[in-house]
Amino acid sequence: MPERAVSGRPTPLDPGSLPEPVDVSDNSAALRAVHEVVAAGPFDATWESLAAYEPPRWYEDAKFGVFLHWGVYSVPAFGNEWYSREMYRQGTDAHEHHRATYGEHRDFGYKDFIPSFTMEHFDPAGWAALFRRAGAQFVVPVAEHHDGFAMYDTDRSRWSAARMGPQRDVFGELSRAVDEAWMVRGASSHRAEHWFFMNGGARFDSDVLDPRWSDFYGPAQREETAPNERFLEDWLLRTVEVIDRYRPQVLWFDWWIEQPAFAPVLRTLAAYYYNRAAEWGREVVINYKWGAFAPGTAVYDIERGAVAGVEPTVWQNDTSVSRTSWCWVEGHEYKSVRELVAELVDVVAKRGVLLLNVGPKPDGTIPDEEQRLLEGIGHWLGLHGEAIYGTRPWTVPSEGPTVVASGSFVDGAAPAYTAEDVRYTMRHDVTGDALYAVLLAQPDDGVARLRALASTSALLTRTISDVAVLGSGTVTRWDRSADALEVAVDGSTTEHSGPVLRIRFAPVPDQPRQDFLHQ
């Protein structure tokens, strides 16, 4: 628990303990260095050049990554990770909660939670081991959220976990642990919204108006105003700093960078990142939302989202184990392992990648329920990952009566899947071709019916040689009729989903060549 002062609230920040502010008023030399990297190629800062980008195979094969929302907002743990905004918006629950719990905003502001962000139980190697057991192939911690507190060691601000609170390079420690566990390191940036994020505090008597803290609370400008050049320069150089210092292979951006003012710096940033990656000999991914990047220049991300059918290129769904919040709060409404597995399978069947978020507590522990959910996904993937990793979409991604909403923020309730709801994936590798069918519920009569594979269907033109239930290791009884491929799955219960089937095909004989030359 946070240390409490006599008043009952956490001990506020001691102004005398703070490092000196960092002067970032002159960015000319740093910007010249950025432009030199862009000028060296192979990419330049135009959408035409950036369209030559291709998502890496490792990413499309990975299918599953872990996202982490962990920051100062984890200390109040009220509402969600937007506490630093909502607490300054008069009339909100967070504003009233803050006054009742911590006092007036001029006396105890958001900055005053920093001393309680202790993370004394933070174990980077333990976290990485958990994510590895979950089956994750890459890990994307939040490097900086909208609140402006850097979780990495930055030279551009004194407001970082490396200089305050725990005084640890949290992002760097976790990135090294991810490397050692043979996963890929990533980073997310939510910095763009800091332009306006805590502007509510400029509308009444709060510490946001105190010039001593202006380098933390940021511009706190109106949402209606475009960010000015100095802010855009700082955004670019902070992102470049993360790229050069930590070499993430996934760079995830939140919304608001789609504002027109960001377009020139986005092109510069993408060219810089892709050119740096070429120097490193690494393949990298930029994730973006809405229309921030031109199609084909980065990988599109849909928040808490889904698509209706197979997309032409790889995309990503970022979602959370909880419907309540992305960060730790009391009383989460958690999804079930079964729901998360179904979400993963649906995304993969449609050429997507799932980035699944957890929210650690301020002491550095991952909540027990969130660990249980990750372990459950890992257990399912350990038995059925053959149908997920390295696969590609089949001719159709799905069948069944349950309609899945498409778009963003569509995970408000778990779909009521039946045994008729099936997701298909396909594998082409050195062992041959295999088609996988994941039933999203257990058939009551012990028979899986795959209507897309009926003998009268034009979707499957090859001869089936055998059908196996993954996890059992045995070929099972099956019959292909005019209505469906019917597979006996009685006695093969699958935890967290219905049965997962592998369908293999008879070899296609080489056709002899007709000799027209020597007749």
Side-chain angles (χ1 to χ4, degrees):
M1 295 293 293
E3 181 185 353
R4 297 284 170 175
V6 175
S7 64
R9 66 190 182 193
T11 302
L13 192 71
D14 175 12
S17 69
L18 295 180
E20 289 297 314
V22 178
D23 183 3
V24 290
S25 59
D26 183 1
N27 295 315
S28 53
L31 290 171
R32 279 196 300 274
V34 168
H35 292 304
E36 287 172 3
V37 171
V38 173
F43 291 92
D44 62 44
T46 64
W47 293 132
E48 291 77 14
S49 175
L50 296 169
Y53 167 79
E54 294 185 6
R57 177 166 182 166
W58 74 258
Y59 174 76
E60 192 165 1
D61 282 352
K63 306 302 184 190
F64 180 46
V66 167
F67 204 6
L68 288 120
H69 276 66
W70 192 36
V72 176
Y73 43 80
S74 305
V75 176
F78 181 88
N80 55 43
E81 66 288 347
W82 278 36
Y83 188 83
S84 64
R85 178 164 175 77
E86 294 301 299
M87 65 172 277
Y88 290 110
R89 294 182 65 219
Q90 293 173 294
T92 64
D93 290 344
H95 182 86
E96 296 307 319
H97 167 81
H98 189 87
R99 291 187 66 207
T101 308
Y102 306 107
E104 297 299 332
H105 294 66
R106 64 176 175 272
D107 301 321
F108 192 98
Y110 185 71
K111 71 183 185 309
D112 294 300
F113 289 113
I114 294 173
S116 298
F117 191 25
T118 55
M119 62 179 77
E120 65 270 20
H121 300 303
F122 173 44
D123 176 11
W127 284 20
L130 171 64
F131 304 152
R132 178 73 181 269
R133 293 195 302 274
Q137 301 298 302
F138 61 101
V139 178
V140 182
V142 169
E144 183 178 341
H145 207 254
H146 312 317
D147 62 357
F149 188 78
M151 296 293 285
Y152 64 98
D153 187 9
T154 174
D155 292 332
R156 296 192 62 81
S157 172
R158 58 178 171 165
W159 300 93
S160 74
R163 300 191 186 193
M164 298 182 188
Q167 298 188 15
R168 295 174 65 174
D169 181 4
V170 176
F171 185 85
E173 290 182 39
L174 183 56
S175 294
R176 288 188 291 275
V178 166
D179 285 349
E180 290 167 4
W182 293 97
M183 295 177 289
V184 176
R185 60 168 70 182
S188 81
S189 170
H190 311 241
R191 173 73 186 177
E193 297 91 323
H194 194 61
W195 170 255
F196 64 83
F197 205 64
M198 289 182 270
N199 59 14
R203 297 166 189 169
F204 68 100
D205 186 13
S206 84
D207 64 334
V208 172
L209 291 171
D210 190 329
R212 291 179 298 171
W213 321 124
S214 61
D215 60 331
F216 178 47
Y217 290 125
Q221 291 285 354
R222 301 279 309 191
E223 297 91 330
E224 301 89 348
T225 61
N228 59 33
E229 290 180 347
R230 181 177 174 186
F231 182 83
L232 293 170
E233 289 174 359
D234 186 63
W235 178 89
L236 172 65
L237 294 174
R238 283 180 184 243
T239 312
V240 162
E241 183 180 49
V242 171
I243 291 170
D244 287 342
R245 184 161 291 178
Y246 301 100
R247 297 192 176 189
Q249 286 185 251
V250 177
L251 190 55
W252 186 99
F253 290 112
D254 206 352
W255 65 293
W256 216 65
I257 61 169
E258 72 272 14
Q259 297 296 317
F262 275 92
V265 291
L266 286 182
R267 293 193 298 268
T268 298
L269 185 280
Y272 185 91
Y273 186 39
Y274 293 161
N275 289 351
R276 277 293 197 221
E279 293 177 19
W280 308 334
R282 292 285 187 269
E283 293 182 300
V284 299
V285 174
I286 292 176
N287 294 136
Y288 72 97
K289 297 178 181 179
W290 307 111
F293 281 73
T297 62
V299 174
Y300 189 59
D301 177 273
I302 305 176
E303 182 173 349
R304 293 187 182 271
V307 297
V310 176
E311 291 294 299
T313 58
V314 65
W315 59 283
Q316 183 172 273
N317 170 22
D318 72 286
T319 190
S320 185
V321 295
S322 162
R323 290 185 176 86
T324 319
S325 167
W326 293 81
C327 77
W328 161 249
V329 296
E330 295 283 355
H332 266 307
E333 179 190 349
Y334 284 114
K335 301 175 182 178
S336 66
V337 177
R338 177 174 288 270
E339 182 182 352
L340 293 169
V341 166
E343 197 165 7
L344 171 65
V345 173
D346 184 74
V347 165
V348 170
K350 297 169 182 176
R351 208 188 301 275
V353 173
L354 181 68
L355 182 60
L356 181 64
N357 178 77
V358 294
K361 295 181 179 182
D363 66 357
T365 59
I366 296 176
D368 291 343
E369 180 63 13
E370 301 189 18
Q371 292 190 50
R372 188 190 68 79
L373 292 172
L374 290 177
E375 298 275 11
I377 295 168
H379 176 72
W380 188 89
L381 283 167
L383 295 173
H384 309 106
E386 180 184 333
I388 300 297
Y389 300 117
T391 60
R392 295 296 183 268
W394 187 49
T395 308
V396 295
S398 61
E399 64 177 69
T402 305
V403 177
V404 177
S406 60
S408 300
F409 302 100
V410 296
D411 67 342
Y417 289 119
T418 72
E420 296 179 66
D421 292 301
V422 182
R423 296 296 181 267
Y424 293 103
T425 61
M426 190 79 189
R427 176 179 304 284
H428 308 278
D429 62 23
V430 294
T431 66
D433 296 339
L435 175 64
Y436 299 92
V438 182
L439 278 66
L440 299 183
Q442 192 76 24
D444 292 334
D445 62 356
V447 178
R449 293 175 176 85
L450 308 179
R451 303 191 186 283
L453 305 186
S455 61
T456 54
S457 170
L459 296 173
L460 184 63
T461 58
R462 298 177 64 178
T463 301
I464 296 173
S465 61
D466 66 70
V467 181
V469 179
L470 292 188
S472 69
T474 59
V475 176
T476 189
R477 303 186 314 279
W478 56 275
D479 178 66
R480 193 181 186 197
S481 70
D483 296 323
L485 174 65
E486 297 187 350
V487 183
V489 294
D490 50 309
S492 60
T493 57
T494 303
E495 190 177 13
H496 308 314
S497 76
V500 182
L501 308 177
R502 180 182 61 212
I503 298 105
R504 290 203 180 274
F505 308 104
V508 178
D510 292 334
Q511 296 296 317
R513 175 172 176 168
Q514 298 296 319
D515 187 355
F516 298 106
L517 182 62
H518 300 293
Q519 292 181 350

